[in-house]
Protein backbone atom coordinates (compact mmCIF):
# COMPACT_ATOMS: atom_id res chain seq x y z
CA UNK A 1 0.00 0.00 0.00
CA UNK A 2 1.32 3.46 -0.86
CA UNK A 3 2.30 5.72 1.99
CA UNK A 4 1.74 9.44 2.03
CA UNK A 5 4.99 11.33 1.67
CA UNK A 6 5.31 14.46 3.86
CA UNK A 7 7.01 16.30 0.96
CA UNK A 8 4.38 15.30 -1.65
CA UNK A 9 1.16 14.33 0.14
CA UNK A 10 -1.08 15.05 -2.88
CA UNK A 11 0.92 12.92 -5.29
CA UNK A 12 0.80 9.89 -3.00
CA UNK A 13 -2.84 10.44 -2.08
CA UNK A 14 -3.77 10.72 -5.77
CA UNK A 15 -1.82 7.56 -6.51
CA UNK A 16 -3.60 5.72 -3.71
CA UNK A 17 -6.98 7.00 -4.88
CA UNK A 18 -6.26 5.87 -8.45
CA UNK A 19 -5.16 2.43 -7.26
CA UNK A 20 -8.31 1.99 -5.20
CA UNK A 21 -10.43 3.10 -8.14
CA UNK A 22 -8.78 0.51 -10.40
CA UNK A 23 -9.28 -2.23 -7.81
CA UNK A 24 -12.94 -1.29 -7.42
CA UNK A 25 -13.47 -1.36 -11.17
CA UNK A 26 -11.76 -4.74 -11.46
CA UNK A 27 -14.04 -6.12 -8.75
CA UNK A 28 -17.26 -4.73 -10.25
CA UNK A 29 -16.97 -6.01 -13.85
CA UNK A 30 -17.40 -9.64 -12.72
CA UNK A 31 -20.48 -8.52 -10.78
CA UNK A 32 -21.94 -7.07 -13.99
CA UNK A 33 -21.26 -10.34 -15.82
CA UNK A 34 -22.84 -12.40 -13.02
CA UNK A 35 -25.95 -10.22 -13.02
CA UNK A 36 -26.23 -10.51 -16.79
CA UNK A 37 -25.95 -14.30 -16.52
CA UNK A 38 -28.68 -14.26 -13.87
CA UNK A 39 -30.81 -12.18 -16.26
CA UNK A 40 -30.39 -14.67 -19.11
CA UNK A 41 -31.18 -17.62 -16.85
CA UNK A 42 -34.26 -15.93 -15.37
CA UNK A 43 -35.58 -15.17 -18.87
CA UNK A 44 -35.09 -18.81 -19.90
CA UNK A 45 -36.98 -19.95 -16.82
CA UNK A 46 -39.77 -17.45 -17.61
CA UNK A 47 -40.10 -18.89 -21.11
CA UNK A 48 -40.28 -22.46 -19.82
CA UNK A 49 -42.65 -21.74 -16.94
CA UNK A 50 -44.92 -19.66 -19.17
CA UNK A 51 -45.39 -22.73 -21.39
CA UNK A 52 -46.37 -24.73 -18.31
CA UNK A 53 -48.87 -22.09 -17.11
CA UNK A 54 -47.12 -21.49 -13.78
CA UNK A 55 -48.18 -17.87 -13.37
CA UNK A 56 -46.60 -17.28 -9.95
CA UNK A 57 -43.26 -18.64 -11.08
CA UNK A 58 -43.41 -16.52 -14.23
CA UNK A 59 -44.07 -13.40 -12.16
CA UNK A 60 -41.28 -14.21 -9.70
CA UNK A 61 -38.69 -14.84 -12.40
CA UNK A 62 -39.79 -11.82 -14.44
CA UNK A 63 -39.19 -9.73 -11.32
CA UNK A 64 -35.79 -11.35 -10.81
CA UNK A 65 -34.88 -10.68 -14.46
CA UNK A 66 -35.93 -7.01 -14.19
CA UNK A 67 -33.91 -6.53 -11.01
CA UNK A 68 -30.82 -8.18 -12.47
CA UNK A 69 -31.10 -5.99 -15.57
CA UNK A 70 -31.53 -2.81 -13.50
CA UNK A 71 -28.59 -3.62 -11.24
CA UNK A 72 -26.24 -4.64 -14.04
CA UNK A 73 -27.20 -1.55 -16.08
CA UNK A 74 -26.58 0.75 -13.12
CA UNK A 75 -23.18 -0.74 -12.32
CA UNK A 76 -22.17 -0.83 -16.01
CA UNK A 77 -23.14 2.84 -16.42
CA UNK A 78 -21.09 3.81 -13.36
CA UNK A 79 -18.09 1.85 -14.59
CA UNK A 80 -18.24 3.42 -18.03
CA UNK A 81 -18.56 6.89 -16.49
CA UNK A 82 -15.62 5.98 -14.28
CA UNK A 83 -13.48 5.32 -17.35
CA UNK A 84 -13.98 8.97 -18.27
CA UNK A 85 -13.28 10.45 -14.85
CA UNK A 86 -12.48 7.68 -12.41
CA UNK A 87 -14.93 5.90 -10.14
CA UNK A 88 -13.45 7.60 -7.11
CA UNK A 89 -14.30 10.95 -8.70
CA UNK A 90 -18.03 10.13 -8.62
CA UNK A 91 -19.88 12.18 -5.97
CA UNK A 92 -21.11 10.40 -2.86
CA UNK A 93 -24.79 10.46 -2.05
CA UNK A 94 -25.97 11.30 1.47
CA UNK A 95 -26.56 7.57 2.03
CA UNK A 96 -23.00 6.73 0.90
CA UNK A 97 -21.54 9.36 3.19
CA UNK A 98 -23.45 8.02 6.18
CA UNK A 99 -22.28 4.45 5.59
CA UNK A 100 -18.67 5.58 5.21
CA UNK A 101 -18.61 7.52 8.47
CA UNK A 102 -20.85 5.33 10.66
Amino acid sequence: MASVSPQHPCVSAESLNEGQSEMLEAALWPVVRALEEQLVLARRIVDRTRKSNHRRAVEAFEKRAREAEEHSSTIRRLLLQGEKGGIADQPLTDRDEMSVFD
Side-chain angles (χ1 to χ4, degrees):
M1 184 178 257
S3 63
V4 178
S5 166
Q7 291 105 354
H8 304 288
C10 292
V11 173
S12 294
E14 287 173 11
S15 175
L16 178 62
N17 187 37
E18 184 178 314
Q20 287 178 333
S21 181
E22 289 172 5
M23 287 176 27
L24 179 60
E25 183 175 348
L28 287 174
W29 278 116
V31 172
V32 171
R33 284 190 291 279
L35 286 165
E36 289 172 350
E37 289 172 7
Q38 183 179 21
L39 168 64
V40 169
L41 179 60
R43 286 182 176 166
R44 284 183 188 160
I45 293 171
V46 166
D47 290 341
R48 290 182 182 164
T49 54
R50 190 172 278 140
K51 292 174 186 173
S52 303
N53 290 326
H54 291 104
R55 196 182 83 204
R56 284 187 185 172
V58 168
E59 291 171 1
F61 282 99
E62 282 177 337
K63 180 182 178 194
R64 188 174 292 182
R66 277 192 310 273
E67 290 172 348
E69 185 172 31
E70 289 171 10
H71 295 292
S72 68
S73 294
T74 299
I75 296 169
R76 179 181 293 278
R77 187 172 41 255
L78 288 171
L79 288 168
L80 293 174
Q81 287 174 355
E83 289 177 1
K84 295 176 187 171
I87 293 173
D89 295 337
Q90 302 298 319
L92 293 174
T93 64
D94 290 339
R95 185 174 152 211
D96 293 333
E97 289 177 28
M98 288 191 309
S99 65
V100 168
F101 296 111
D102 286 343

